[in-house]
């Protein structure tokens, strides 16, 4: 049985994600796959995403992966990264595309704003920002409370209720950058590119044993 | 607290080695790229940029092996540029482990390449590098800068500020902006250039060219309005560590990742 399947729907490069997982779990069997059956067989699923969400949704469906992703999000340790977080929600402003609707809320575009000193805040929000942990969670184990992670995104999620929010950042206003519900944990930042903090989070995912609602 | 300003060490790579040009004439060997990458990562570099300056196409594949090795050991964003001509070059670099690909000459020659690459792989991984030379006036008001390609050998008649705006429209996610007047001089960034371009676009701008001391890095952020600063020689020869640079920037009120 595969330990970890990284869902590949042809959007962007998943090598960084697999390399980082191999680094923290050298003995695990890790595959990058676009085959729904392989996703179903895996004990844990990583759901990444890059580029534009409408394309991500389209390519995921073109490969027939929707069912396998929904199933994984319902019954096994599931880690969403970047667009993989955004796709869990109901709808995105990016092309007005519908998401998977697993979590209530929408995906909204950053507009360029100024910080308190009057300097323009660029979009994409790119670089290392502090992540505040709004809930205790096994995925945050060993990660200090305001640790910086690497972000690159132009859209962010706005949850319909505060319950799934596990972490937030500021740019310049507060936005949700991590959500958790049951066996799902999803982050806007890139743990695979976030140095020691990111590797710690990935290691936590490999060891995470959430309660599964059946 | 919010987004940190980034410090990006730059590694010029040729034939599998990191080199540093002295006024573009003599190349001095500065070491093994994998070893140097690990050192900068340990010092707290926010990203790494590799510029493949290999002249002959025979040895171009070497950079892929280097990126593969670095990406297996260093888990921060890696940007690779030099000789990127086709979407297929972008694909090969990303597959080797690059997170962003920097396009310079080919972006000017073929704007569609930027649009195609960004459309296919996302704006976040497409950086357009601009080599700009001041051609007119002084200061931020009257100065003009022209874009040069082919490693600074060929004038394009493009205005650097207008080109930067066009790059953003084409879908690039970031601009790497080098002043040819300052590159290699160690006299500091062309702050008027950096600031004019950075204020004219909404995407992040990395300042490059001319860093000789830590004050220059501070100026690039505070006066140049850069989102990130790139430097090579001050780090390669051990004058300063990345950590020292960050501590110095933090002392001057700049938010950095420590």
């Amino acid at each position: 049985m595969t330990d970890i399947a990284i869902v590949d729907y042809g959007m962007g490069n998943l090598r960084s994600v697999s390399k980082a997982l191999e680094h923290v779990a050298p003995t695990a069997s890790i595959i990058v796959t676009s085959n729904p059956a392989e996703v179903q067989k895996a004990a844990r699923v990583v759901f990444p995403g890059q580029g534009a969400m409408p394309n991500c949704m389209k390519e995921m469906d073109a490969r027939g992966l929707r069912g396998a992703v929904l199933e994984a999000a319902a019954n096994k340790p599931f880690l969403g990264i970047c667009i993989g977080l955004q796709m869990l929600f109901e709808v995105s402003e990016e092309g007005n595309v519908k998401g998977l609707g697993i979590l209530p809320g929408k995906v909204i575009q950053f507009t360029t704003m100024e910080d308190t000193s009057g300097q323009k805040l660029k979009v994409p929000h790119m670089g290392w920002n502090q992540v505040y942990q709004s809930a205790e969670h096994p995925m945050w184990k060993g990660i200090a409370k305001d640790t910086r992670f690497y972000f690159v995104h132009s859209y962010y999620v706005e949850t319909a209720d505060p319950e799934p929010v596990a972490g937030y950042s500021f740019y310049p206003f507060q936005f949700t950058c991590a959500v958790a519900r049951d066996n799902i944990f999803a982050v806007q930042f890139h743990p695979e590119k976030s140095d020691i903090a990111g590797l710690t989070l990935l290691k936590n995912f490999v060891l995470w044993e959430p309660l599964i609602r059946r | 607290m919010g987004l940190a300003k980034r410090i990006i060490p730059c590694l010029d790579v040729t034939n599998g080695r990191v080199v540093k040009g002295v006024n573009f004439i003599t190349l001095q060997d500065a070491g093994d790229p994998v070893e140097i990458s690990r050192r900068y990562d340990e010092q707290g570099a926010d990203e790494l940029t590799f510029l493949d300056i290999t002249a002959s196409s025979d040895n171009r594949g070497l950079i892929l092996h280097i990126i593969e090795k670095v990406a297996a050991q260093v888990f921060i964003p890696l940007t690779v540029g030099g000789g990127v001509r086709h979407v297929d070059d972008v694909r090969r670099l990303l597959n080797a482990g690059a997170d962003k690909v920097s396009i310079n000459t080919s972006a000017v020659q073929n704007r569609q390449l930027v649009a195609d690459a960004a459309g296919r792989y996302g704006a976040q991984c497409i950086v357009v590098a601009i080599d700009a030379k001041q051609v007119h006036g002084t200061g931020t008001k009257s100065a003009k800068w022209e874009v040069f390609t082919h490693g600074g050998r060929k004038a394009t008649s493009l205005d650097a500020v207008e080109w930067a705006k066009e790059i953003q429209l084409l879908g690039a996610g970031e601009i790497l902006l080098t002043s040819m007047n300052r590159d290699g001089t160690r006299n500091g960034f062309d702050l008027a250039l950096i600031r004019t371009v950075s204020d004219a676009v909404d995407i992040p701008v990395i300042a490059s060219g001319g860093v000789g001391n830590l004050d220059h890095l501070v100026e690039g952020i505070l006066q140049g309005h850069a989102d990130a600063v790139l430097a090579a020689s001050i780090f390669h020869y051990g004058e300063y560590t990345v950590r020292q640079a960050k501590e110095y920037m933090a002392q001057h009120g700049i938010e950095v990742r420590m």
Side-chain angles (χ1 to χ4, degrees), chain A residues 13 15 123 130 148 193 195, chain B residues 1-2 75 94-95 99 202:
Chain A
N13 176 34
R15 189 185 167 93
V123 177
Q130 286 178 299
R148 290 181 187 277
K193 284 288 140 186
D195 214 357
Chain B
M1 297 294 268
F75 298 97
L94 293 177
N95 284 341
D99 300 285
D202 295 330

Side-chain angles (χ1 to χ4, degrees), chain B residues 18-77:
Chain B
V18 177
V19 292
K20 187 57 201 165
V22 180
N23 297 326
F24 287 97
I25 303 165
T26 42
L27 291 175
Q28 293 181 5
D29 187 274
D32 172 60
V34 181
E35 228 169 81
I36 292 175
S37 299
R38 288 180 64 150
R39 188 165 76 224
Y40 289 152
D41 177 42
E42 282 161 16
Q43 292 175 7
D46 295 310
E47 299 186 21
L48 295 174
T49 289
F50 300 81
L51 290 180
D52 183 10
I53 57 168
T54 305
S56 126
S57 56
D58 302 347
N59 291 330
R60 285 235 176 248
L62 276 174
I63 193 77
L64 296 174
H65 297 299
I66 291 168
I67 297 304
E68 275 175 21
K69 276 195 207 162
V70 173
Q73 300 176 38
V74 171
F75 298 97
I76 57 175

Side-chain angles (χ1 to χ4, degrees), chain A residues 26 28 31 43 49 62 69 73 81 91 107 112 127 130 144 146 160-161 163 166-167 188 209:
Chain A
I31 56 165
V69 169
I81 299 174
V91 65
V107 184
T112 50
Q130 286 178 299
D146 51 358
D161 52 63
E163 178 257 323
Q188 181 61 66
E209 297 294 347

Side-chain angles (χ1 to χ4, degrees), chain A residues 28-45:
Chain A
S29 67
I30 298 165
I31 56 165
V32 176
T33 181
S34 55
N35 180 346
E38 297 280 0
V39 176
Q40 282 169 328
K41 274 191 273 179
R44 293 163 195 276
V45 169

Side-chain angles (χ1 to χ4, degrees), chain B residues 44-226:
Chain B
D46 295 310
E47 299 186 21
L48 295 174
T49 289
F50 300 81
L51 290 180
D52 183 10
I53 57 168
T54 305
S56 126
S57 56
D58 302 347
N59 291 330
R60 285 235 176 248
L62 276 174
I63 193 77
L64 296 174
H65 297 299
I66 291 168
I67 297 304
E68 275 175 21
K69 276 195 207 162
V70 173
Q73 300 176 38
V74 171
F75 298 97
I76 57 175
L78 309 175
T79 301
V80 187
V84 176
R85 291 185 184 82
H86 310 286
V87 173
D88 207 46
D89 296 327
V90 175
R91 184 186 59 79
R92 284 191 301 148
L93 287 167
L94 293 177
N95 284 341
D99 300 285
K100 309 184 206 179
V101 172
S102 172
I103 309 176
N104 189 335
T105 299
S106 299
V108 174
Q109 291 173 335
N110 175 15
R111 286 159 171 74
Q112 194 58 39
L113 171 64
V114 178
D116 289 348
R120 181 101 152 252
Y121 299 107
Q124 83 289 337
C125 66
I126 303 302
V127 181
V128 173
I130 303 177
D131 291 339
K133 194 181 207 169
Q134 190 169 342
V135 287
H136 178 267
T138 51
T140 44
K141 290 269 157 54
S142 59
K144 291 279 177 201
W145 297 269
E146 184 177 352
V147 177
F148 282 68
T149 57
H150 298 82
R153 291 189 302 277
K154 203 169 164 192
T156 63
S157 78
L158 280 172
D159 176 76
V161 180
E162 294 308 314
W163 176 230
K165 291 182 190 167
E166 191 178 342
I167 286 164
Q168 175 176 331
L169 288 176
L170 287 169
E174 195 172 34
I175 291 169
L176 169 56
L177 180 59
T178 303
S179 160
M180 292 170 57
N181 305 78
R182 296 303 181 93
D183 203 30
T185 65
R186 302 173 63 89
N187 289 334
F189 294 119
D190 181 340
L191 295 171
L193 166 70
I194 306 294
R195 183 174 186 140
T196 306
V197 170
S198 189
D199 287 352
V201 296
D202 295 330
I203 57 179
V205 171
I206 305 167
S208 159
V211 175
N213 61 49
L214 301 184
D215 282 311
H216 294 150
L217 299 176
V218 171
E219 290 165 6
I221 301 289
L222 296 183
Q223 293 170 47
H225 291 179

